[in-house]
Amino acid sequence: MKNLKILMAAGALALLLAGCGGGNEMTAEEIKEHKGSFSAGASVHDPSIYEENGTYYIFGSHMEAAKSEDLRNWKSFATGVSKNNPLFDNLFDEPRKAFEFVGRNEEGGYSVWAPDVIYNEKMGKYMMYFCTTSTYKRSTLCFATADNPEGPYTFQDTILHSGFTTADAKNKEQIFGDVNFDMRKYMLTGDYNNLQWPNALDPAVFYDENGKLWMVYGSWSGGIYLLELDEETGYPIFPEEDQENEVDSYYGRHLIGGMHQSCEGPYILYDEESGYYYLFVSYGGLTADGGYQIRLFRSENPDGPYVDANGENFGLNVEDHTEYGLKMMGNYTFPSLPYSYLSPGHNSAFMDEDGKLYLVYHQRFSDQGEVHEPRVHQMFRSQDGWLVAAPFATQGETLREEGNSSKELAGTYYYVNHGTDISSEVHEAEELHLTSGGKIEDASGKNVGSFSTEENSPYITLSIEEEEYQGVLVDMEDEAGNPVLCFTAAGESNQSVWGVKYLAQEES
């Protein structure tokens, strides 16, 4: 999965940073003169990533797909919910089984959302799991297969349904197949009890450390659930009922969420180095003003329990989920960005062959309506095994592993605390000063904390306003191409913090 362009950029960036010594800084006026961003060249909502032979593929809702060789520039190869879309070869053939249960959406068309692609070695096929839906709770999980990552994918079957009512009882076989489930268990006054049971949306598939295949899924409603899959067939392995451990015989194990609180787009990544399974989800509303954001939980087992940085599980009966889950990022802005970055979310993640971790999501922007683009940020492991994201899109960034005395790190940083709010508020960067004596001061010179590092180590610990954060130091470029020194860290308060020091550029 090595990418030559990224490696070349890393080398160029290292030379640039070495030339400026990492100490000289841009002035505020110079930063204003060096604002900028970049266009990804494609728009894919809910991007799920798959890599093969140095090419990265992202698949998203509405049958959108694009590919890239550098994780920044994307080229679309499929778009639009239509039989003319080359992504599928039979999805709209009669009897249109993928839509048989859900029907058409409110606009009179069909909704095809949130695909995830994985290669199944036992079947020798690329597997796409996706969902169809028509209301906020009536949904179907489906799967399709292909011989190439770009498709065409051949629809195979539906595997799970939600949102059924007593009127569907006469078609029970259509919903459950030849497996005998008691529909009444999932009903409340004749309708589907979506406060307790999941919406069959947003599937994501992963292998655990022992080679077992799992599918995590769910959106708002009764929360996020997990089912084991039969690798030889692609179908779910329905478990035995275990109410004490929140295992349902149809929907599987309940992991987090419920009571129709915002929680969707689950994705689980296993990291052999840390030994953790990381569960990513998105809170808030997905629109530009909806407060969409990325949260993180982890577990030592694929089926949980999953806890946040405070050691808490987001259970079914939590009344306010704001404080649950490490908030990796939300709305933010830095002085070199021409606009605020809004509503990042519905992410996937992957590890390259060098063990580097990456976060893949869609991003909206202030003053641009609902326009969105894919973004990819590198992630790093903190001292205590939490994942923290680089503040800017990947471009050959590296951990700063040499030196790192307080004197070398001293200077003005533009600081963002993502907080734990679920709102349209934009967290604007504010000035912090790291002193050569290891203190942290605000723009007025008031002492607000301290920091410490280890010599020749990328790790940094910051204490800011009595909250402690652990993270790493990263040399990278911002989205305008400016060299920057960053810290990215997470705290037990479930807040992530970023700091950016703009380094002076050498004159040519």
Side-chain angles (χ1 to χ4, degrees):
M1 295 170 70
K2 282 185 179 177
N3 187 283
L4 182 59
K5 292 183 180 179
I6 290 180
L7 292 175
M8 290 175 65
L13 177 58
L15 288 172
L16 177 60
L17 293 173
C20 68
N24 299 325
E25 301 175 29
M26 281 191 190
T27 66
E29 288 303 316
E30 288 173 330
I31 295 172
K32 290 179 181 179
E33 294 174 359
H34 289 83
K35 286 189 174 187
S37 186
F38 71 91
S39 173
S43 181
V44 178
H45 204 261
D46 310 330
S48 177
I49 195 160
Y50 177 80
E51 183 276 340
E52 187 171 290
N53 297 326
T55 298
Y56 303 91
Y57 303 88
I58 51 174
F59 302 89
S61 292
H62 320 302
M63 294 169 59
E64 301 286 338
K67 58 186 178 180
S68 173
E69 294 183 355
D70 62 4
L71 296 172
R72 284 172 73 99
N73 300 287
W74 298 90
K75 182 179 180 180
S76 174
F77 64 86
T79 183
V81 181
S82 164
K83 65 180 180 180
N84 297 320
N85 188 320
L87 197 59
F88 288 91
D89 59 12
N90 70 335
L91 186 62
F92 295 98
D93 291 353
E94 296 296 341
R96 300 187 180 184
K97 187 175 180 181
F99 310 100
E100 189 176 10
F101 173 74
V102 298
R104 294 179 180 268
N105 57 35
E106 293 179 353
E107 288 75 34
Y110 294 109
S111 294
V112 183
W113 289 356
D116 186 48
V117 169
I118 193 170
Y119 184 72
N120 184 321
E121 291 187 0
K122 284 193 175 180
M123 295 180 68
K125 295 284 186 179
Y126 298 90
M127 307 278 294
M128 177 186 285
Y129 288 83
F130 64 99
C131 54
T132 60
T133 187
S134 57
T135 73
Y136 67 96
K137 58 185 176 182
R138 192 173 180 92
S139 306
T140 296
L141 293 184
C142 315
F143 77 95
T145 60
D147 294 320
N148 298 289
E150 291 187 40
Y153 286 84
T154 300
F155 168 79
Q156 297 296 334
D157 208 351
T158 62
I159 58 174
L160 212 69
H161 302 281
S162 66
F164 39 80
T165 68
T166 51
D168 293 306
K170 60 183 178 181
N171 298 317
K172 185 178 177 181
E173 186 176 339
Q174 174 195 358
I175 300 172
F176 298 113
D178 58 2
V179 184
N180 185 27
F181 290 107
D182 185 358
M183 289 182 64
R184 294 172 297 178
K185 174 182 178 180
Y186 308 106
M187 313 297 286
L188 183 65
T189 62
D191 197 1
Y192 183 74
N193 180 8
N194 73 307
L195 297 180
Q196 180 179 353
W197 301 109
N199 194 351
L201 291 179
D202 299 353
V205 183
F206 68 99
Y207 284 97
D208 70 13
E209 60 182 323
N210 298 313
K212 284 187 176 182
L213 188 61
W214 301 85
M215 177 181 68
V216 62
Y217 71 96
S219 174
W220 293 54
S221 293
I224 306 303
Y225 279 71
L226 182 80
L227 276 168
E228 186 180 349
L229 298 177
D230 185 337
E231 191 179 6
E232 294 185 353
T233 66
Y235 286 88
I237 299 173
F238 294 112
E240 292 186 8
E241 189 89 6
D242 182 357
Q243 294 185 7
E244 182 178 352
N245 291 301
E246 297 186 272
V247 179
D248 178 66
S249 57
Y250 181 57
Y251 288 119
R253 183 181 293 272
H254 173 251
L255 298 182
I256 63 170
M259 300 304 290
H260 202 64
Q261 296 196 73
S262 67
C263 187
E264 63 182 25
Y267 196 91
I268 291 178
L269 175 72
Y270 174 64
D271 175 29
E272 184 177 1
E273 180 170 324
S274 68
Y276 286 112
Y277 294 85
Y278 293 99
L279 169 61
F280 302 85
V281 293
S282 295
Y283 287 3
L286 57 82
T287 57
D289 62 356
Y292 217 40
Q293 57 192 252
I294 299 172
R295 298 273 183 148
L296 185 65
F297 297 81
R298 73 182 185 189
S299 174
E300 294 179 346
N301 303 294
D303 55 351
Y306 283 86
V307 298
D308 60 21
N310 194 33
E312 298 291 334
N313 174 264
F314 172 16
L316 181 65
N317 294 315
V318 166
E319 293 184 2
D320 179 7
H321 63 309
T322 305
E323 303 297 327
Y324 292 82
L326 173 64
K327 185 178 178 182
M328 296 189 71
M329 66 173 73
N331 298 337
Y332 66 92
T333 190
F334 282 106
S336 62
L337 297 178
Y339 30 68
S340 298
Y341 280 28
L342 307 177
S343 295
H346 201 126
N347 72 279
S348 55
F350 74 97
M351 178 189 295
D352 72 10
E353 65 178 11
D354 296 323
K356 293 181 179 179
L357 301 167
Y358 293 89
L359 184 72
V360 185
Y361 63 96
H362 67 251
Q363 178 78 70
R364 286 179 166 84
F365 313 93
S366 61
D367 303 322
Q368 296 190 39
E370 298 305 320
V371 170
H372 55 81
E373 291 185 347
R375 283 291 187 274
V376 182
H377 290 216
Q378 190 176 165
M379 296 185 292
F380 306 93
R381 305 168 187 89
S382 70
Q383 299 95 312
D384 52 3
W386 283 100
L387 300 183
V388 293
F392 301 106
T394 187
Q395 183 73 350
E397 59 282 347
T398 59
L399 288 172
R400 173 170 284 208
E401 300 190 74
E402 296 184 4
N404 296 332
S405 66
S406 57
K407 183 178 180 180
E408 291 173 301
L409 300 180
T412 299
Y413 289 75
Y414 291 86
Y415 167 78
V416 167
N417 185 328
H418 288 282
T420 59
D421 60 295
I422 307 174
S423 71
S424 60
E425 177 186 355
V426 175
H427 295 271
E428 297 187 5
E430 58 186 77
E431 281 191 30
L432 282 186
H433 301 280
L434 273 58
T435 73
S436 58
K439 293 183 179 180
I440 301 176
E441 299 174 347
D442 64 17
S444 70
K446 177 185 175 182
N447 183 49
V448 294
S450 61
F451 72 97
S452 61
T453 59
E454 300 175 18
E455 187 176 357
N456 298 323
S457 165
Y459 294 121
I460 184 170
T461 299
L462 306 106
S463 177
I464 304 174
E465 295 181 340
E466 300 183 352
E467 293 283 352
E468 183 173 287
Y469 305 91
Q470 294 187 346
V472 295
L473 295 159
V474 185
D475 283 320
M476 67 182 311
E477 290 182 354
D478 70 359
E479 297 205 353
N482 301 307
V484 291
L485 167 61
C486 305
F487 63 75
T488 173
E492 291 184 357
S493 58
N494 285 322
Q495 300 175 46
S496 294
V497 296
W498 292 344
V500 175
K501 179 182 179 182
Y502 291 90
L503 304 176
Q505 301 190 43
E506 282 192 318
E507 294 183 5
S508 58

